């Protein structure tokens, strides 16, 4: 085992010392050897972790780290963030842009795949780098919005009356400071045909401190209908701090939904998904989508074939009331909406 030093133990509990969200973001673990040391994991994992890290940087905030079981290489939360040697493999069919987003990005920072919605890539920064991310190869540097790009995106929204919903995405939009987010929202509110703001974020889960007074002020004060779509794959990601963050978002007028990805070794059983749905509902979050795995290069070891996913959801449906069963979907490039994978 890699030995946990006194310093690593102290760092592991840094999230309990009153750090704000910016400090928690800045002190996220970004080296494989640090992650292994803090969790007391075998040094045999280091070579594969370093190889994967070179392909896609590791990033694990400490509030999330504190929910991982030390010494367990198969912990479902750990599997989402630890690079493995399989990431260096190159099986056929796994590509860098599985959703062909390059074809739907007509201008800097704006993605249009659906008629009534537009997605703004507010930032390329994430609080956590999930190893299965379908955007792990996305050229964020090419889509970083300059002030001119921001105005062009707003002009597109103003001149597109069919758009009634704007989605903040990234990266993770809540990795951006509240002043800039408030400016975005103010500009969007001034466009009469836009009714809803949707925010896709993992930050309230991995750093619950992000849901602070400043965020609640601009979110709660908006005229727009607000939907916050969280990304939680396993029930153990939901602790008391996450529940409190969810309550604050709901009190600010946000409808809370969750989307998951079905992942090998993380949540690929009906029992695990049932536990997740129950934990979500206990936190006043409604299960929304269960995404079939997007075949992104470097993450093939997470793949669950569609037929197996259908069988799992069929079993899940027998266990839970319908409102707790997320819709199993696949995003197929070029389709006008998500495609349900019916069983």
């Amino acid at each position: 085992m890699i030995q946990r030093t006194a310093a690593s133990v102290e760092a592991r509990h840094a999230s309990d010392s009153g750090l704000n969200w910016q400090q928690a973001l800045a002190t996220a673990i970004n080296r494989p050897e640090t992650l292994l040391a803090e969790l007391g994991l075998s040094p045999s994992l280091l070579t594969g972790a370093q190889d994967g890290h070179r392909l896609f940087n590791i990033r694990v905030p400490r509030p999330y780290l504190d929910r991982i079981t030390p010494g367990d290489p198969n912990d479902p939360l750990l599997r989402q963030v630890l690079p493995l040697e399989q990431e260096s493999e190159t099986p056929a069919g796994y590509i860098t842009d599985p959703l062909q987003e390059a074809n739907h990005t007509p201008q800097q920072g704006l993605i249009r795949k659906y008629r009534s919605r537009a997605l703004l890539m507010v930032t390329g920064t994430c609080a956590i780098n999930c190893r299965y991310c379908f955007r792990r190869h996305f050229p964020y540097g090419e889509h970083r919005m300059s002030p001119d790009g921001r105005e062009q995106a707003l002009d597109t929204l103003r001149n597109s009356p069919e758009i009634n919903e704007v989605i903040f995405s990234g990266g993770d939009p809540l990795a951006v400071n509240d002043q800039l987010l408030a400016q975005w929202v103010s500009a969007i509110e001034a466009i009469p045909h836009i009714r809803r703001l949707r925010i896709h974020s993992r930050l309230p889960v991995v750093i619950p401190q992000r849901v602070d007074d400043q965020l609640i002020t601009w979110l709660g004060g908006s005229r727009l209908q607000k939907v916050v779509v969280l990304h939680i794959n396993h029930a153990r990601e939901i602790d008391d701090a996450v529940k409190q963050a969810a309550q604050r978002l709901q009190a600010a007028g946000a409808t809370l939904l969750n989307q998951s990805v079905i992942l090998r070794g993380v949540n690929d059983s009906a029992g695990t998904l049932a536990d997740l749905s129950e934990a979500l509902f206990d936190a006043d979050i409604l299960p929304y989508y269960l995404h079939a795995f997007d075949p992104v290069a470097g993450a093939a070891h997470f793949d669950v074939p569609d037929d197996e996913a259908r069988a799992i959801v069929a079993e899940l449906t027998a266990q839970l009331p319908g409102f707790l069963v997320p819709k199993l979907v696949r995003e197929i490039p070029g389709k006008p909406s998500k495609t349900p994978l019916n069983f």
Side-chain angles (χ1 to χ4, degrees), residues 116-134:
S116 64
R117 287 92 76 201
L119 186 148
L120 285 171
M121 303 199 74
V122 178
T123 179
T125 299
C126 276
I128 189 167
N129 283 354
C130 303
R131 308 312 301 176
Y132 53 87
C133 180
F134 69 90

Side-chain angles (χ1 to χ4, degrees), residues 91-111:
Y94 295 86
I95 58 178
T96 57
D97 186 12
L99 302 186
Q100 299 179 18
E101 290 189 321
N103 298 332
H104 300 281
T105 310
Q107 63 192 76
Q108 196 179 66
L110 185 69
I111 295 179

Side-chain angles (χ1 to χ4, degrees), residues 158-174:
R158 294 183 187 110
N159 296 321
S160 304
E162 72 277 10
I163 295 175
N164 60 24
E165 179 175 316
V166 172
I167 302 168
F168 282 0
S169 186
D172 193 313
L174 294 187

Side-chain angles (χ1 to χ4, degrees), residues 57-224:
N57 290 341
I58 192 172
R59 187 173 184 83
V60 186
R62 296 186 181 279
Y64 184 87
L65 178 78
D66 287 345
R67 295 168 229 167
I68 298 173
T69 303
D72 181 5
N74 296 313
D75 182 279
L77 277 61
L78 175 68
R79 281 186 59 83
Q80 297 179 58
V81 297
L82 175 65
L84 299 175
E85 60 184 355
Q86 291 100 315
E87 294 191 24
S88 301
E89 298 173 357
T90 56
Y94 295 86
I95 58 178
T96 57
D97 186 12
L99 302 186
Q100 299 179 18
E101 290 189 321
N103 298 332
H104 300 281
T105 310
Q107 63 192 76
Q108 196 179 66
L110 185 69
I111 295 179
R112 292 199 62 183
K113 291 191 284 188
Y114 306 129
R115 184 178 186 277
S116 64
R117 287 92 76 201
L119 186 148
L120 285 171
M121 303 199 74
V122 178
T123 179
T125 299
C126 276
I128 189 167
N129 283 354
C130 303
R131 308 312 301 176
Y132 53 87
C133 180
F134 69 90
R135 289 191 184 134
R136 57 181 282 165
H137 305 283
F138 192 85
Y140 286 108
E142 299 174 14
H143 295 275
R144 186 177 294 114
M145 270 193 282
S146 63
D148 285 345
R150 180 176 179 272
E151 283 307 310
Q152 289 174 9
L154 289 170
D155 281 343
T156 296
L157 296 177
R158 294 183 187 110
N159 296 321
S160 304
E162 72 277 10
I163 295 175
N164 60 24
E165 179 175 316
V166 172
I167 302 168
F168 282 0
S169 186
D172 193 313
L174 294 187
V176 173
N177 70 73
D178 288 299
Q179 182 179 3
L180 181 56
L181 290 172
Q183 290 172 357
W184 268 115
V185 171
S186 178
I188 291 168
E189 284 179 324
I191 303 173
H193 55 264
I194 295 181
R195 299 164 50 192
R196 284 188 301 276
L197 172 68
R198 194 191 328 170
I199 301 172
H200 284 209
S201 181
R202 195 141 158 76
L203 251 157
V205 180
V206 301
I207 304 178
Q209 298 96 318
R210 179 61 184 96
V211 184
D212 60 9
D213 291 345
Q214 288 182 302
L215 186 155
I216 294 302
T217 296
W218 64 259
L219 184 68
S222 175
R223 73 154 179 90
L224 298 169

Side-chain angles (χ1 to χ4, degrees), residues 14 17-28 61-63 207 209:
S17 63
L19 294 181
N20 62 32
W21 72 269
Q22 295 96 333
Q23 292 168 325
L25 193 64
T27 58
R62 296 186 181 279
I207 304 178
Q209 298 96 318

